[in-house]
Amino acid sequence: MRSNLFTSLLTLIPVLGDLALGYEVQTPPLDTDWTYTVGTDPWPEYPRPQLQRDEWQSLNGIWKWKSASYPGEPVPAKGSFDEDILVPSCIESAISGVMKMNQTYSWYRTEFTVPQDYIQKGKRVLLNFEAVDHQATVYVNGDLVGIHVGGYWHFNFDVTKYLNTNGTNTLHVFVFDPTDAEGYMNPVGKQTRVPSHIFYTPCTGIWQTVWLESVPDTYIQQLDIIAEMDGTVNVTVTTNQGTDSVSVSILDGEGASVASVNSGTANKAFDFKVSSPKLWSPDSPTLYNLTVTVGEDTVNSYTGFRTLSTGEIDGVTRPLLNGEFIFQFGTLDQGFWPDGIYTPPNREAMVYDLKMLKDLGLNMLRKHIKVENALFYRACDELGLLLIQDMPSMPLRTPDADQQAEWERQLDILIQQHKNYPSIYTWVIYNEGWGQITDYYPEFNLTARVKQLDPTRFVDSTTGWHDHGAGDFHDNHHYANPQCGTPFYSIQSTPYDNKRIAIQGEFGGIGHNVSAEHLWKVELAVQQINQTYEIDADLDAYNYRGHLLLSELRDQVEKYACSGAVWTQTTDVEGEVNGFLTYDRRLQRTDKKQWRADIQALYDAAASRGGKATNATTRKFRL
């Protein structure tokens, strides 16, 4: 009966064929309160909050799209494009206006004009892409300007010489995305061409903001800042050329100057000191604004003062933030949306999830084998949410040497592009053995490599499963009850290693089925709901079970060595119904009063085991 019901519901979802041009949101298997409010000027916010300039232009909006057949196709004629698509969005999503699966090859087309003041003598125009999944080949006015590989990373091209400065310019993007097709081992996370319970609808194409900016001939490419609890600030300003002088000014939240330095040099690290800064923490997420100038280029950014270290407190290895042990409790955060897949409908929707977690009292989340847009990390910085950031995993196969090398190259990019967000405190290399080589142990060299790129943060080398002793954490996964820093463990874990920090990388996962209005109306997904780790018949049972599991975790904090835990999960995703929120974000399962009290009890239990690292052996992460 259920099967027939959902088959009928699916017939209501349009089958997309040859459409007349004209964008409109398609009907997804499940919508949200934001689905039909996206409009045709999506994500208008400045997309890169840690390197802001005044002269920029969004290219988001309605583009032309068509399916393609093979790599190396000639740039298609203008009249050959047969559909509109919203940029940014996933081709598979309803918000895209296309909503088609398994588009291995695609073409995008749009036109734009460049303001005259962008192209004056001594200036350049950069074409920026925040993320294109998986490989993008970019043409401006028919000329190839560059190719980029990697679906999670921002990139740009200097397109100055390709522009028609007095008229319209045409931009074409050819996208290749095999996702997890046989023979390919790209970083894909939970994306799959054949969705099944814990693996979901993939995202193909231009799924984050596209934009132009005007820069001088010598311009800042990257700004790396380490601001420590003692006020020491280490800065590296990377420019495209030269060793020009650098000036940096730091302002507090009220706009008052707290430091000004004019003695730095581009492309070389330098230090200065801020007196008695207010520190960044989940309880007090204080941020400072920066202005950095090199020659004619000025950018605005921000930072937070905080120091991560390890310490031994009463014989237990602990993670320390600003010299203090605080218990870290958060959710596994998948970052999927029923209407946008990988792309949230808008910033308001994206931040809604984060505010819900903060409102319950959580101080952390684990960004699970996905990388978000820069505004997500800025929101975590502002709200005071610690972030465990996973490297997107490869499919459940063993990579060959070339595939492993490419994945490692992209691991480097993850660190380089995200190491300035105060909220990120841990990098995860491998998740549950996915794409992990086990006939030797590459995680040891990879951990050293990550530490070299960023010596200021923790590394969780293997979250769950094949743990051979690398990294700062001993990380257990167990459903539904926790086994965190305990003398008991299960078959897919290892005995607790007291030389490392104990964390429960995943647990909980209790589910609660809901009415059809909140479900992902795809028949296979509905049939697989019972694969959820545990199903509770009603919300009373769900909250009762949550209380018992958090009480068990509290016992392990009090009695054993548990320092942090990750609950599965923030929201439902397709056939998984174990979120604090349903997939449409319309139903919150958690009893707020109860969960707030139980989460606070975790923090209190940890505090009773020793907070500040007085008389503790500490090791600070530092350059």
Side-chain angles (χ1 to χ4, degrees), residues 223-226 233-237 246 248 265 268-272 290 292:
L223 181 61
D224 293 322
I225 301 168
I226 303 169
V233 183
N234 178 270
V235 179
T236 303
V237 181
V246 176
V248 180
T265 301
K268 294 181 181 179
F270 59 93
D271 292 303
F272 60 91
L290 287 85
V292 180

Side-chain angles (χ1 to χ4, degrees), residues 11-247:
T11 63
L12 299 177
I13 301 170
V15 178
L16 302 180
D18 294 328
L19 300 181
L21 292 181
Y23 167 77
E24 62 178 349
V25 178
Q26 298 301 309
T27 303
L30 182 68
D31 61 17
T32 71
D33 288 343
W34 301 277
T35 304
Y36 302 104
T37 65
V38 171
T40 57
D41 182 26
W43 291 93
E45 300 86 358
Y46 193 93
R48 192 182 51 199
Q50 289 195 325
L51 201 66
Q52 297 192 53
R53 293 186 176 91
D54 291 335
E55 293 184 323
W56 75 287
Q57 176 183 341
S58 174
L59 298 185
N60 292 346
I62 307 303
W63 293 30
K64 304 302 180 187
W65 179 87
K66 63 176 291 186
S67 183
S69 299
Y70 61 92
E73 274 189 359
V75 175
K78 179 177 180 179
S80 67
F81 284 82
D82 50 11
E83 295 188 49
D84 282 353
I85 190 169
L86 187 72
V87 171
S89 64
C90 304
I91 291 171
E92 297 84 350
S93 72
I95 285 175
S96 74
V98 175
M99 205 168 75
K100 290 182 177 179
M101 287 284 286
N102 301 336
Q103 298 297 306
T104 304
Y105 306 109
S106 299
W107 279 104
Y108 289 76
R109 181 186 186 279
T110 193
E111 296 180 346
F112 64 93
T113 57
V114 180
Q116 283 298 310
D117 57 351
Y118 281 24
I119 50 178
Q120 295 171 357
K121 185 177 180 181
K123 286 190 172 184
R124 300 174 180 270
V125 177
L126 303 182
L127 173 61
N128 294 283
F129 294 82
E130 291 303 295
V132 181
D133 198 348
H134 154 76
Q135 177 176 303
T137 304
V138 180
Y139 302 82
V140 173
N141 294 323
D143 292 321
L144 173 65
V145 299
I147 300 172
H148 179 268
V149 177
Y152 296 93
W153 325 119
H154 65 75
F155 60 97
N156 63 34
F157 301 113
D158 183 342
V159 296
T160 310
K161 68 180 182 179
Y162 301 101
L163 296 174
N164 297 322
T165 57
N166 294 315
T168 299
N169 297 275
T170 304
L171 170 61
H172 287 91
V173 181
F174 179 84
V175 172
F176 165 59
D177 184 20
T179 312
D180 62 341
E182 190 67 33
Y184 294 96
M185 287 291 287
N186 305 312
V188 293
K190 288 290 192 80
Q191 301 179 77
T192 180
R193 290 197 162 200
V194 186
S196 60
H197 197 54
I198 67 167
F199 296 97
Y200 319 128
T201 302
C203 175
T204 296
I206 304 172
W207 68 280
Q208 290 186 27
T209 290
V210 185
W211 55 294
L212 297 172
E213 63 180 332
S214 176
V215 299
D217 280 338
T218 298
Y219 63 93
I220 298 169
Q221 294 179 312
Q222 183 157 327
L223 181 61
D224 293 322
I225 301 168
I226 303 169
E228 301 214 40
M229 62 180 292
D230 66 355
T232 300
V233 183
N234 178 270
V235 179
T236 303
V237 181
T238 303
T239 62
N240 63 317
Q241 59 187 2
T243 55
D244 293 11
S245 63
V246 176
S247 65

